[in-house]
Amino acid sequence: MEEYEVGAFVEGLRQMFTALERLPMPTIAAIEGAALGGGLELAMCCDIRVAGKNASLGLPETSLAIIPGAGGTQRLPRLVGLARAKELIFTAERITAERAEAIGLVNYAVPPGRAKDKALELAAAICANGPLATRLAKQAIGSGMQCDLSTAMDVERGCYAQVIKTKDRDEGLRAFHEKRKPEYIGE
């Protein structure tokens, strides 16, 4: 890639990854093998990450005399903390799925070849819940993490208010009372 093309290319990645992160429904990354550089930046845009124990994860850009440019310098500290993110980016270290799980970069480290299965299991558990509530919970978490706690509580209050008058809320409470599984319709 020519030098003059790099800026536009990386900006395109940044915009695409941000669009993924902002999807209203929960997203899950299933990682097998290498998730390095842009691959890890893409996975970090997802709400949940599952990695096979054969996975290698890292942001090796500094070893190439560049920096993570598609959101890695901003998303990694929010996932693993400032000091750990600095260490991983400054050293360009590649880590195992087990270490990634231990530091909070991935939610689960599973046997090799099973990341997709675990991701689908999680997706099924999410889909069993009220779709409006799940969407609004994601919105409250995502928006709330971008502001101070007092403002975040206002965000949560606004999202909560939207589920009060839904048919799904009525169905969920009725199903709980009747000791049966709810049948949500997204209304």
Side-chain angles (χ1 to χ4, degrees):
M1 182 178 308
E2 296 294 324
E3 195 174 304
Y4 70 88
E5 299 172 301
V6 173
F9 175 76
V10 172
E11 182 59 29
L13 289 177
R14 194 176 296 116
Q15 289 177 12
M16 179 177 58
F17 291 176
T18 299
L20 170 63
E21 184 176 50
R22 291 181 179 166
L23 286 172
M25 70 287 295
T27 56
I28 305 170
I31 304 164
E32 295 284 358
L36 303 169
L40 181 56
E41 288 179 298
L42 175 61
M44 288 190 295
C45 295
C46 294
D47 300 301
I48 299 170
R49 287 159 300 286
V50 180
K53 290 185 180 175
N54 62 335
S56 176
L57 301 93
L59 295 173
E61 287 87 346
T62 56
S63 70
L64 303 172
I66 58 175
I67 69 169
T73 64
Q74 301 308 303
R75 290 186 180 96
L76 187 62
R78 286 167 169 79
L79 292 171
V80 303
L82 183 62
R84 184 75 69 202
K86 285 181 177 182
E87 175 188 349
L88 292 172
I89 292 171
F90 296 167
T91 64
E93 181 182 1
R94 296 175 183 200
I95 62 173
T96 65
E98 291 94 338
R99 179 147 182 246
E101 181 184 35
I103 65 172
L105 181 54
V106 301
N107 300 73
Y108 297 94
V110 298
R114 301 301 309 251
K116 181 180 175 185
D117 295 337
K118 182 63 177 178
L120 290 172
E121 175 188 321
L122 290 165
I126 292 166
C127 287
N129 298 321
L132 296 174
T134 301
R135 179 178 58 81
L136 288 164
K138 178 174 176 169
Q139 181 181 331
I141 293 166
S143 296
M145 288 301 295
Q146 303 301 316
C147 53
D148 64 87
L149 184 59
S150 177
T151 304
M153 296 301 283
D154 291 337
V155 169
E156 180 183 80
R157 185 177 299 106
C159 290
Y160 190 88
Q162 294 179 59
V163 298
I164 296 297
K165 295 181 181 181
T166 65
K167 292 177 183 177
D168 281 352
R169 176 185 174 269
D170 293 340
E171 167 61 12
L173 294 174
R174 193 169 34 257
F176 177 77
H177 179 71
E178 296 171 3
K179 297 180 179 17
R180 62 172 174 81
K181 288 186 177 184
E183 296 178 23
Y184 296 119
I185 57 173
E187 295 179 9

Coordinates of all heavy atoms in Angstrom, one line a residue, residues 59-100:
L59 N -1.4 -6.8 19.7 CA -1.3 -5.7 18.9 C 0.2 -5.4 18.6 O 0.8 -4.7 19.4 CB -2.0 -4.5 19.6 CG -3.5 -4.6 19.8 CD1 -4.0 -3.4 20.7 CD2 -4.2 -4.7 18.5
P60 N 0.7 -6.1 17.6 CA 2.2 -6.0 17.3 C 2.6 -4.8 16.6 O 3.8 -4.7 16.1 CB 2.4 -7.3 16.5 CG 1.1 -7.5 15.8 CD 0.0 -7.0 16.7
E61 N 1.8 -3.8 16.4 CA 2.1 -2.7 15.5 C 3.4 -2.0 15.9 O 4.1 -1.6 15.0 CB 0.9 -1.7 15.4 CG -0.3 -2.2 14.6 CD -1.3 -3.0 15.4 OE1 -0.9 -3.5 16.5 OE2 -2.4 -3.2 14.9
T62 N 3.7 -1.8 17.2 CA 4.9 -1.0 17.5 C 6.1 -1.8 17.1 O 7.1 -1.1 16.8 CB 4.9 -0.7 19.0 OG1 4.9 -2.0 19.8 CG2 3.8 0.2 19.5
S63 N 6.1 -3.1 16.9 CA 7.2 -3.8 16.3 C 7.4 -3.5 14.9 O 8.5 -3.8 14.3 CB 7.1 -5.3 16.6 OG 6.0 -5.8 15.8
L64 N 6.4 -2.9 14.2 CA 6.5 -2.5 12.8 C 6.7 -1.0 12.7 O 6.5 -0.4 11.6 CB 5.2 -2.9 12.1 CG 4.9 -4.4 12.2 CD1 3.5 -4.7 11.6 CD2 6.0 -5.2 11.4
A65 N 6.9 -0.3 13.8 CA 7.1 1.2 13.9 C 5.8 1.9 13.5 O 5.9 3.0 13.0 CB 8.3 1.6 13.0
I66 N 4.7 1.3 13.8 CA 3.4 2.0 13.7 C 2.6 1.8 15.0 O 3.2 1.2 15.9 CB 2.6 1.5 12.5 CG1 2.3 0.0 12.6 CG2 3.3 1.9 11.2 CD1 1.4 -0.6 11.5
I67 N 1.4 2.3 15.1 CA 0.6 2.1 16.3 C -0.7 1.5 15.8 O -1.1 1.6 14.7 CB 0.3 3.3 17.1 CG1 -0.6 4.3 16.4 CG2 1.6 4.0 17.5 CD1 -1.1 5.5 17.2
P68 N -1.4 0.8 16.7 CA -2.8 0.3 16.4 C -3.6 1.5 16.0 O -3.7 2.5 16.7 CB -3.3 -0.3 17.7 CG -2.1 -0.6 18.5 CD -1.1 0.4 18.1
G69 N -4.2 1.5 14.8 CA -4.9 2.7 14.3 C -6.3 2.5 14.0 O -7.0 3.5 13.6
A70 N -6.9 1.3 14.3 CA -8.3 1.1 14.1 C -9.1 1.0 15.4 O -10.0 0.3 15.5 CB -8.5 -0.1 13.2
G71 N -8.6 1.7 16.4 CA -9.2 1.8 17.7 C -8.5 1.0 18.8 O -9.0 1.0 20.0
G72 N -7.5 0.3 18.5 CA -6.8 -0.5 19.5 C -6.3 0.2 20.7 O -6.3 -0.3 21.8
T73 N -5.7 1.4 20.5 CA -5.2 2.2 21.6 C -6.3 2.7 22.5 O -6.0 3.1 23.6 CB -4.3 3.4 21.1 OG1 -5.2 4.3 20.4 CG2 -3.2 3.0 20.2
Q74 N -7.5 2.7 22.0 CA -8.6 3.2 22.8 C -9.5 2.1 23.4 O -9.9 2.2 24.6 CB -9.5 4.1 22.0 CG -8.7 5.3 21.4 CD -8.0 6.1 22.5 OE1 -8.6 6.5 23.5 NE2 -6.7 6.2 22.3
R75 N -9.7 1.0 22.7 CA -10.5 -0.1 23.2 C -9.8 -1.0 24.2 O -10.3 -1.4 25.2 CB -11.1 -0.9 22.1 CG -12.1 -0.1 21.3 CD -12.8 -0.9 20.2 NE -13.8 -0.1 19.5 CZ -13.6 0.5 18.4 NH1 -12.4 0.4 17.7 NH2 -14.5 1.3 17.8
L76 N -8.5 -1.3 23.9 CA -7.7 -2.2 24.8 C -7.7 -1.7 26.2 O -8.0 -2.4 27.2 CB -6.3 -2.4 24.3 CG -5.5 -3.5 25.0 CD1 -6.2 -4.9 24.9 CD2 -4.1 -3.6 24.4
P77 N -7.4 -0.4 26.5 CA -7.4 0.1 27.9 C -8.7 0.0 28.6 O -8.8 -0.3 29.8 CB -6.9 1.5 27.8 CG -6.4 1.7 26.5 CD -6.9 0.7 25.6
R78 N -9.8 0.1 27.8 CA -11.1 0.0 28.4 C -11.5 -1.4 28.8 O -12.3 -1.7 29.6 CB -12.1 0.6 27.4 CG -12.1 2.1 27.3 CD -12.9 2.7 26.2 NE -13.1 4.1 26.2 CZ -12.2 5.0 25.9 NH1 -11.0 4.6 25.4 NH2 -12.5 6.3 25.9
L79 N -10.8 -2.4 28.1 CA -11.1 -3.8 28.4 C -10.1 -4.3 29.5 O -10.6 -5.1 30.3 CB -10.9 -4.6 27.1 CG -12.0 -4.4 26.1 CD1 -11.6 -5.1 24.8 CD2 -13.3 -4.8 26.5
V80 N -8.9 -4.0 29.5 CA -7.9 -4.6 30.3 C -7.3 -3.7 31.3 O -6.5 -4.1 32.2 CB -6.8 -5.4 29.6 CG1 -7.4 -6.4 28.6 CG2 -5.9 -4.4 28.8
G81 N -7.6 -2.4 31.3 CA -6.9 -1.4 32.2 C -5.8 -0.7 31.5 O -5.2 -1.2 30.5
L82 N -5.5 0.5 31.9 CA -4.5 1.3 31.3 C -3.1 0.7 31.4 O -2.4 0.6 30.3 CB -4.5 2.7 32.0 CG -3.5 3.7 31.4 CD1 -3.9 4.1 30.0 CD2 -3.6 5.0 32.3
A83 N -2.6 0.3 32.5 CA -1.2 -0.2 32.6 C -1.0 -1.5 31.8 O 0.0 -1.6 31.1 CB -0.9 -0.5 34.1
R84 N -2.0 -2.4 31.8 CA -1.9 -3.7 31.0 C -1.9 -3.3 29.6 O -1.1 -3.9 28.8 CB -3.0 -4.6 31.4 CG -2.9 -5.9 30.7 CD -1.9 -6.8 31.3 NE -2.3 -7.2 32.6 CZ -1.4 -7.7 33.6 NH1 -0.2 -7.8 33.3 NH2 -1.9 -8.0 34.7
A85 N -2.8 -2.4 29.1 CA -2.8 -2.1 27.7 C -1.5 -1.4 27.3 O -1.0 -1.8 26.2 CB -4.0 -1.1 27.5
K86 N -1.0 -0.6 28.1 CA 0.3 0.0 27.7 C 1.4 -1.0 27.5 O 2.2 -1.0 26.6 CB 0.8 1.1 28.7 CG 0.0 2.4 28.7 CD 0.5 3.3 29.7 CE -0.2 4.7 29.7 NZ 0.3 5.6 30.7
E87 N 1.4 -2.0 28.5 CA 2.4 -3.0 28.4 C 2.3 -3.8 27.1 O 3.2 -4.1 26.4 CB 2.3 -4.0 29.6 CG 3.2 -5.2 29.6 CD 2.9 -6.2 30.7 OE1 2.1 -5.9 31.6 OE2 3.4 -7.3 30.6
L88 N 1.0 -4.2 26.8 CA 0.8 -5.1 25.6 C 1.1 -4.3 24.3 O 1.7 -4.9 23.4 CB -0.6 -5.6 25.6 CG -1.0 -6.6 26.7 CD1 -2.5 -6.9 26.7 CD2 -0.2 -7.9 26.5
I89 N 0.8 -3.0 24.3 CA 1.0 -2.3 23.0 C 2.5 -1.9 22.9 O 3.1 -2.0 21.9 CB 0.1 -1.0 23.0 CG1 -1.3 -1.5 22.8 CG2 0.6 -0.1 21.9 CD1 -2.4 -0.3 22.9
F90 N 3.1 -1.4 24.0 CA 4.5 -1.0 24.0 C 5.5 -2.2 23.7 O 6.5 -2.0 23.0 CB 5.0 -0.4 25.3 CG 4.2 0.9 25.7 CD1 4.4 1.4 26.9 CD2 3.5 1.6 24.8 CE1 3.7 2.6 27.3 CE2 2.8 2.8 25.1 CZ 2.9 3.3 26.4
T91 N 5.1 -3.4 24.2 CA 6.0 -4.6 24.0 C 5.6 -5.3 22.7 O 6.4 -6.2 22.3 CB 6.0 -5.5 25.2 OG1 4.6 -6.1 25.3 CG2 6.4 -4.8 26.5
A92 N 4.5 -5.1 22.2 CA 4.0 -5.8 21.0 C 3.8 -7.3 21.3 O 3.9 -8.1 20.4 CB 4.9 -5.6 19.8
E93 N 3.6 -7.6 22.6 CA 3.5 -9.0 23.0 C 2.3 -9.7 22.4 O 1.2 -9.2 22.4 CB 3.5 -9.1 24.5 CG 3.4 -10.5 25.1 CD 3.3 -10.5 26.6 OE1 3.3 -9.4 27.2 OE2 3.2 -11.6 27.2
R94 N 2.5 -11.0 22.0 CA 1.4 -11.9 21.7 C 1.1 -12.7 22.9 O 2.0 -13.3 23.5 CB 1.8 -12.7 20.5 CG 2.1 -12.0 19.3 CD 2.6 -12.9 18.2 NE 3.0 -12.1 17.0 CZ 3.1 -12.5 15.8 NH1 2.9 -13.8 15.6 NH2 3.4 -11.8 14.8
I95 N -0.2 -12.8 23.2 CA -0.6 -13.6 24.4 C -1.5 -14.7 24.0 O -2.1 -14.7 23.0 CB -1.2 -12.7 25.5 CG1 -2.5 -12.1 25.0 CG2 -0.3 -11.6 26.0 CD1 -3.3 -11.3 26.0
T96 N -1.5 -15.7 24.9 CA -2.4 -16.9 24.7 C -3.8 -16.5 25.1 O -4.1 -15.5 25.8 CB -1.9 -18.0 25.6 OG1 -2.1 -17.6 27.0 CG2 -0.5 -18.4 25.4
A97 N -4.7 -17.4 24.7 CA -6.1 -17.2 25.0 C -6.3 -17.3 26.5 O -7.1 -16.5 27.1 CB -7.0 -18.3 24.4
E98 N -5.6 -18.2 27.2 CA -5.7 -18.3 28.7 C -5.3 -17.0 29.4 O -6.0 -16.5 30.3 CB -4.9 -19.4 29.2 CG -5.4 -20.8 28.9 CD -4.7 -21.4 27.6 OE1 -4.2 -20.6 26.8 OE2 -4.8 -22.6 27.4
R99 N -4.2 -16.4 28.9 CA -3.8 -15.1 29.5 C -4.8 -14.0 29.1 O -5.2 -13.2 30.0 CB -2.4 -14.7 29.1 CG -2.0 -13.4 29.6 CD -0.5 -13.2 29.9 NE -0.3 -12.0 30.5 CZ 0.5 -11.0 30.0 NH1 1.0 -11.2 28.8 NH2 0.7 -9.8 30.6
A100 N -5.3 -14.0 27.9 CA -6.3 -13.0 27.5 C -7.6 -13.1 28.4 O -8.1 -12.1 28.8 CB -6.7 -13.2 26.0

